[in-house]
Each structure stands twice: as C-alpha cells, then as structure tokens.
C-alpha cells in the first residue's frame, strides 16, 4: 500500500475514555441516520457467501477474473479520494476489497465513507491483482450487514490485557489471528481423537447425565445444585465413569464420551473448574490395551495439529511416538527419596520411614502404607523438574487411592492402574476396571467413612446402584480418562489452560 493513503484505523489503546465515549456516540448517530434512510443494517437477514479469503489467495489462477460474493468485518480503511482499499476479515483470513466511486456509484460511495472499522459488510465483485500484486476484489455491490457500535483495539499487548482478552474473547478472536488458529486446531484435535477412538478402536460415542444425585467416578469436590420440580438436591458430574461402565454392563462393549466435567476446586495454569474430559471403556481388555489407546490418541492428535509426533512446549521438546516408558510408583519414590516401599510391609514401618524423611507426623500417623506411598510420590516426585517429563506411564498405584481399579494379582496392595505424564503433567488416568461387586462395596464403604468423618472431603461416596450394576455383571474392562484441555495445551504450546478455552471461568468485575 502506498504511504500517502489516508489510513483510517481507529485504535482504542490511543484514545482516552472520553474520546472512546465520543466515538461510540458518533457510531450510534451514524446508525440512526442509516435507519432514517431506510438502510437499517440490523434488518438484513442473510448474504450469499460463495468463497473465503484463503481459497481465493491460494488458488488465484482459479478465481482470477471471476465475480464472487463474500462477506466479513472491516479491519482497515485506506482512502485515496474516490478510491478506497479495505482489509476485510472473514473466518479464515483477510482479503483486500477495492472500493471505488465508479464501481459502486457516487451515492453509495458517500454512504460507504461513513462506515467504521468493525462494521460487517457483504460485497460482490471481480477477483484481480493490484499493481502492487495484492489479490483483491474489485467491488461492484456493497451492503452493510451489521454496524459495530464499539471501537476495536488495534492489537492486544500480551499479559497487559490478558484478563480482558479472556473476558472479551469475541474481540480477542477478531484481533488475533493466532487465537483463531488455536481454536481451529482445538476443533481438529477433538475431531481426530474421536476418529481414532471410533475408526481405530471401535468405540461408540454415547451421552450420560451431567446432573446426578451422586458425584462419582473420581475423588473431587462437586458443585451442588437443586432440581426444583423433583425438589431434589443434585450435583454436577465430576466424572462420567460410572455411567459408562453401566453401559458396558448393558452390552455396549466399547463406549466413550467427551464432554464437560465440573470440579469445585482450585484454579491455576493447568486447572479450571469446568474442563473437557474424554473417558472410554472397552470390555474384554485391560490396562495394557488402554495404554495403547492413550499413546495412539495423543500422538495422533499431535500429528493432526502439527504434522509431527514431536512437540515443543515452552522451549522443551517431547517425542510422543509410541511406545511410552513405564515407571512403577514405588520405584519413583525410591529413586527420589531413597525410601524402598517394596521392602516396607506394615503401616508402622511406612510411617516411621516417612516421618524420618521429613513428612508431618500428624498427617502420616493417620495413613496406611499405601496412602503414604501415594503421598510421597505426589509430594516428592511430581514436582521434581524433568523427572516426569515423559511421556511416561506411572503404574502400581495403591488400593487406598484407587477405589475403582482391579487389584494386581501379584501384589494385592496395589492396583492395575496407570497415570500418563507429559511435561510433568498428568494427562490420563486408566485402570483394569474393578468388576468385583463385593470388593467394590467394601472400598466404597471405606471411602464413605472418610467422607463422613471429614477426613477426606474428596473421598468417593457410596453408590449402591453402581454396586448393583456390578452384581449384574461387568466383563473384564479397560477404562481410560484423558484430560483433553491439557493435551491441547501441550500440542498447541499454550501457556495456560485459559488460552485453549473459548470462555474460561472468570470472577465478575466489581462495579
């Protein structure tokens, strides 16, 4: 573009609040005049969009000289007397609209000159290249489809406006092409995960309840609500595991569901109280089978989004190519702390070793050997830089923290369970599912006792109907849960979980 053109780009960052207020008043006045002329843009219902900017630019030879109908948001106006050059943003990119008085008529051109940055226009015209080689549309018909009454910022400045970006994601999407690309990638990853589950492994997608009387399937605090018609206190699901296993009991041998879960817990770069999870269950399979599913789903997601199974997250490289490493929880604790739980057989020995290492006696003296092993792994292994960069499957979880997993036949103190880690984050949790109703009842009873006593407000509640389902008969089953948001963060190199959520949970601004 030539330097002498009049660049009409409003920039919110350079305007005072008083100036912004004045700009908004002017836009409303322009709208009023258009309405008085019988040209109310908000009465327009449709526009024939025949193609998009990316297709035209990438296939210019195909489109050159052809008349097209397009639409989008005005992002910049450059006026040169009776000719204007307008950058128009559509869903896949930008294209230049060449708007001239002799193209649309003098009266229409005068009206066009009142349009503002942010307005949405429909236009028809011929595809051509300007003298400077820019692919453009020579506009022959122009219609204002929607009037923007706010002043768009020219750009966002990183962390300076990060809170506003999350709160006004609709503006963030307009201004930042990389943000739009992030959510196209998110959609592609989710589609590929579903394709992998269905085409490669034969799972059936199902829907299960979000509102339930018992928030089961995980150890977490639920959100509480009330069903007015039934006068019934209910909870929002923290997991869909128990309903999906009921499906397997009923003969739907391989099922999965991807959807929102709700846990009334803390928020940080990896946690949001509302998040997307995928859980799948396959009859007549075990933990090793779902390890293969995990590796395939995650590596395929990376390949789909980036064209490689190798990813770079915040400067660190990870190779997601299967197979992934296996690591016993007790071996991890031994490597980091020197405490060898394979040689510890009693609760007293475990307590003594943990206290000697530096754990709080007040907590440790309440815990069993298995609980102490799990706490030492969480406290001393998970946060060691680089130790769980992975990808790695951690196996050998104690029964005390795995109320839904099948016991290991070679060591009944641990379960047939794994957690998958990448970059030190847990991205997946899976079991050879417990299908012994008597054992399940006893574990639920122990968890319920912890819940009732206040010892653990995240303990799993008793679910007698699920126990009844197990009594009907659950086949040997391999189950898996994957944190979809964390996988997407890793694959897209997003620094925060909020960056890959369109509308993350935010505290309202106090007025």
């Amino acid at each position: 573009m030539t330097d002498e053109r009049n660049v009409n780009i409003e920039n919110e960052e350079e305007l005072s609040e008083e100036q912004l207020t004045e700009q908004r008043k002017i836009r409303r006045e322009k709208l009023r005049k258009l309405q008085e002329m019988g040209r109310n843009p908000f009465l327009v219902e449709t526009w024939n969009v025949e193609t998009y900017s990316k297709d035209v630019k990438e296939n210019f030879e195909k489109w050159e000289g052809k008349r097209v109908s397009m639409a989008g948001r005005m992002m910049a106006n450059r006026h040169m007397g009776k000719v204007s050059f307008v950058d128009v943003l559509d869903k896949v990119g930008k294209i230049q609209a060449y708007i001239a008085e002799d193209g649309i008529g003098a009266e229409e051109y005068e009206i066009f000159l009142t349009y503002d940055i942010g307005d949405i226009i429909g236009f028809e015209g011929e595809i051509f290249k300007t003298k400077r080689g820019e692919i453009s549309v020579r506009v022959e018909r122009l219609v204002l489809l929607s009037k923007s009454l706010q002043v768009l910022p020219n750009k966002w400045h990183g962390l300076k406006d990060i809170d506003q970006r999350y709160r006004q994601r609709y503006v963030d999407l307009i201004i930042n092409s990389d943000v739009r690309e992030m959510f196209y990638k998110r959609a592609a990853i989710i589609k590929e995960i579903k394709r992998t589950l269905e085409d490669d492994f034969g799972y059936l997608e199902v829907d299960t309840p979000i509102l339930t009387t018992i928030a089961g399937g995980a150890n977490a605090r639920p959100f509480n609500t009330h069903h007015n018609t039934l006068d019934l206190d209910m909870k929002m699901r923290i997991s869909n595991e128990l309903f999906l296993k009921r499906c397997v009991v009923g003969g739907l041998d391989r099922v999965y569901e991807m959807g929102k879960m709700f846990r009334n817990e803390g928020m940080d770069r990896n946690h949001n109280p509302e998040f997307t999870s995928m859980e799948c269950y396959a009859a007549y399979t075990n933990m090793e089978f779902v390890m293969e599913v995990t590796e395939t789903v995650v590596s395929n997601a990376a390949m789909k989004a980036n064209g490689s199974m190798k990813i770079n997250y915040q400067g660190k490289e990870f190779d997601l190519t299967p197979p992934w490493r296996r690591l016993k929880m007790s071996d991890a604790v031994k490597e980091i702390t020197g405490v060898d739980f394979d040689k510890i057989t009693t609760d007293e020995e475990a307590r003594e070793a943990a206290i000697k290492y530096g754990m709080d006696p007040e907590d440790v003296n309440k815990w069993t050997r298995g609980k102490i092993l799990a706490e030492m792994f969480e406290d001393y292994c998970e946060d060691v830089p680089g130790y769980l960069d992975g990808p790695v499957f951690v196996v050998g979880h104690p029964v005390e923290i795995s109320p839904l997993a099948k016991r290991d036949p070679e060591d009944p103190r641990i379960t047939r369970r794994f957690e998958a880690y990448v970059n030190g984050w847990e991205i997946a949790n899976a079991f050879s599912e417990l299908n012994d109703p008597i054992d399940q009842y006893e574990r639920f009873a122990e968890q319920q006792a912890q819940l009732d006593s206040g010892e653990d407000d995240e303990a799993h509640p008793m679910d007698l109907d699920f126990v009844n389902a197990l009594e009907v008969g659950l086949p040997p089953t391999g189950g898996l849960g994957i944190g979809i948001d964390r996988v997407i963060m890793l694959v897209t190199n997003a620094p925060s979980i909020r960056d890959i959520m369109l509308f993350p949970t935010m505290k309202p601004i106090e007025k």
Side-chain angles (χ1 to χ4, degrees):
M1 300 304 162
T2 57
D3 295 336
E4 62 269 19
R5 291 178 185 168
N6 173 33
V7 180
N8 175 25
I9 302 178
E10 294 162 331
N11 187 346
E12 187 177 85
E13 294 156 5
E14 298 173 357
L15 298 175
S16 66
E17 185 57 41
E18 183 179 347
Q19 289 172 318
L20 278 172
T21 300
E22 183 61 28
Q23 288 284 341
R24 293 171 186 139
K25 288 180 179 178
I26 291 171
R27 289 188 176 213
R28 288 178 181 267
E29 179 61 21
K30 288 179 179 179
L31 172 63
R32 185 187 65 79
K33 289 180 178 179
L34 286 170
Q35 290 170 331
E36 288 176 351
M37 294 168 60
R39 301 174 68 113
N40 186 350
F42 299 127
L43 295 181
V44 180
E45 292 188 72
T46 186
W47 183 263
N48 179 32
V49 178
E50 295 176 340
T51 188
Y52 297 95
S53 57
K54 185 177 180 181
D55 186 36
V56 170
K57 288 184 172 182
E58 292 182 352
N59 302 281
F60 175 68
E61 294 78 10
K62 167 187 169 184
W63 291 101
E64 184 178 13
K66 291 188 177 180
R67 183 183 174 91
V68 296
S69 179
M70 304 178 71
R73 188 182 298 272
M74 291 174 49
M75 299 303 293
N77 264 350
R78 294 167 293 278
H79 299 308
M80 294 177 62
K82 297 182 179 182
V83 174
S84 296
F85 297 83
V86 179
D87 289 342
V88 182
L89 176 70
D90 63 19
K91 72 173 186 177
V92 290
K94 290 181 182 178
I95 194 164
Q96 180 172 270
Y98 173 88
I99 303 174
E101 184 180 278
D102 62 4
I104 61 173
E107 181 181 355
E108 198 66 39
Y109 190 76
E110 284 302 310
I111 294 173
F112 155 70
L113 291 177
T114 69
Y115 294 177
D116 295 299
I117 303 304
D119 288 356
I120 298 173
I121 59 173
F123 53 99
E124 297 175 358
E126 180 185 293
I127 301 295
F128 77 110
K129 274 187 182 179
T130 65
K131 292 179 179 179
R132 291 181 173 268
E134 182 159 358
I135 297 171
S136 307
V137 181
R138 183 179 286 108
V139 177
E140 300 166 11
R141 179 176 177 236
L142 178 68
V143 176
L144 181 62
L145 303 178
S146 183
K147 182 69 181 169
S148 176
L149 300 179
Q150 288 286 353
V151 180
L152 289 179
N154 187 35
K155 58 183 177 180
W156 297 90
H157 290 297
L159 293 176
K160 176 183 175 184
D161 298 301
I162 197 72
D163 188 75
Q164 187 179 8
R165 287 180 58 197
Y166 296 149
R167 292 182 186 278
Q168 296 186 11
R169 181 68 87 186
Y170 43 90
V171 179
D172 193 22
L173 289 165
I174 293 169
I175 299 302
N176 286 324
S177 60
D178 58 334
V179 174
R180 292 195 303 276
E181 181 61 27
M182 170 76 75
F183 289 103
Y184 279 117
K185 276 192 174 183
R186 180 186 175 103
I189 290 168
I190 288 174
K191 185 176 181 180
E192 177 63 14
I193 290 172
K194 290 186 173 186
R195 187 210 63 77
T196 299
L197 290 168
E198 294 173 10
D199 296 349
D200 296 355
F201 294 102
Y203 285 93
L204 171 72
E205 184 175 17
V206 297
D207 295 307
T208 64
I210 290 175
L211 292 175
T212 179
T213 55
I214 299 174
N219 292 71
R221 285 184 296 173
F223 286 92
N224 298 308
T225 186
H226 187 78
H227 193 303
N228 290 334
T229 301
L230 297 178
D231 191 20
L232 185 67
D233 289 334
M234 301 194 77
K235 304 175 188 301
M236 298 182 75
R237 68 182 180 189
I238 57 175
S239 168
N240 48 10
E241 175 171 344
L242 302 190
F243 283 108
L244 291 173
K245 284 198 234 180
R246 286 174 170 95
C247 292
V248 179
V249 169
L252 302 178
D253 281 358
R254 294 193 179 189
V255 293
Y256 83 94
E257 181 178 14
M258 188 183 299
K260 295 292 187 181
M261 305 299 154
F262 308 87
R263 298 185 182 181
N264 200 354
E265 299 172 343
M267 299 171 64
D268 58 32
R269 64 177 296 200
N270 294 338
H271 295 85
N272 196 70
E274 176 185 355
F275 62 96
T276 301
S277 175
M278 187 286 299
E279 295 200 27
C280 61
Y281 296 84
Y284 314 110
T285 69
N286 61 7
M287 182 179 77
E288 282 72 26
F289 172 81
V290 289
M291 280 182 172
E292 180 187 351
V293 174
T294 307
E295 293 169 334
T296 306
V297 162
V298 177
S299 60
N300 281 3
M303 179 63 74
K304 183 67 175 180
N306 301 327
S308 172
M309 292 185 182
K310 294 180 180 180
I311 61 173
N312 185 302
Y313 185 77
Q314 304 296 295
K316 296 171 68 174
E317 291 193 354
F318 305 95
D319 188 350
L320 303 178
T321 305
W324 296 358
R325 182 168 69 99
R326 273 70 164 162
L327 173 66
K328 281 179 61 180
M329 182 179 285
S330 58
D331 288 344
V333 171
K334 181 180 178 182
E335 287 178 15
I336 299 301
T337 70
V339 178
D340 188 352
F341 275 84
D342 289 338
K343 294 182 179 178
I344 293 175
T345 58
T346 67
D347 294 342
E348 285 304 319
E349 289 177 305
R351 290 166 184 157
E352 182 180 342
I355 293 170
K356 184 177 180 180
Y357 191 76
M359 297 190 79
D360 187 347
E362 187 175 347
D363 291 329
V364 169
N365 285 326
K366 302 175 185 176
W367 296 339
T368 62
R369 172 192 173 278
K371 175 70 171 174
I372 294 169
L373 168 60
E375 291 292 331
M376 291 193 75
F377 174 78
E378 183 175 332
D379 289 352
Y380 303 119
C381 299
E382 286 190 339
D383 294 332
V384 175
Y387 186 65
L388 294 176
D389 271 1
V392 58
F393 293 119
V394 175
V395 299
H397 293 66
V399 170
E400 289 91 330
I401 64 164
S402 309
L404 299 166
K406 193 183 287 283
R407 291 178 188 266
D408 190 316
E410 297 182 2
D411 185 351
R413 298 174 302 178
I414 62 174
T415 57
R416 296 277 291 149
R417 174 185 178 185
F418 73 76
E419 291 176 302
Y421 287 81
V422 179
N423 190 41
W425 306 348
E426 178 197 337
I427 64 166
N429 187 23
F431 316 137
S432 287
E433 299 295 336
L434 177 62
N435 61 346
D436 179 344
I438 298 172
D439 190 358
Q440 182 68 85
Y441 178 84
E442 291 172 350
R443 293 197 219 178
F444 275 168
E446 173 62 28
Q447 292 269 309
Q448 185 66 55
Q450 294 178 28
L451 197 62
D452 293 341
S453 68
E455 179 182 344
D456 185 354
D457 62 359
E458 294 185 355
H460 199 294
M462 175 64 73
D463 189 335
L464 291 175
D465 182 75
F466 179 69
V467 174
N468 184 70
L470 294 187
E471 289 179 348
V472 172
L474 174 68
T477 298
L480 166 67
I482 294 179
I484 298 300
D485 296 315
R486 288 188 184 176
V487 170
I488 293 173
M489 282 179 67
L490 289 166
V491 170
T492 62
N493 194 26
S496 168
I497 193 170
R498 295 185 176 193
D499 291 317
I500 54 88
M501 293 180 158
L502 275 170
F503 304 103
T505 306
M506 303 289 290
K507 187 175 182 179
I509 298 174
E510 295 183 5
K511 296 182 179 180

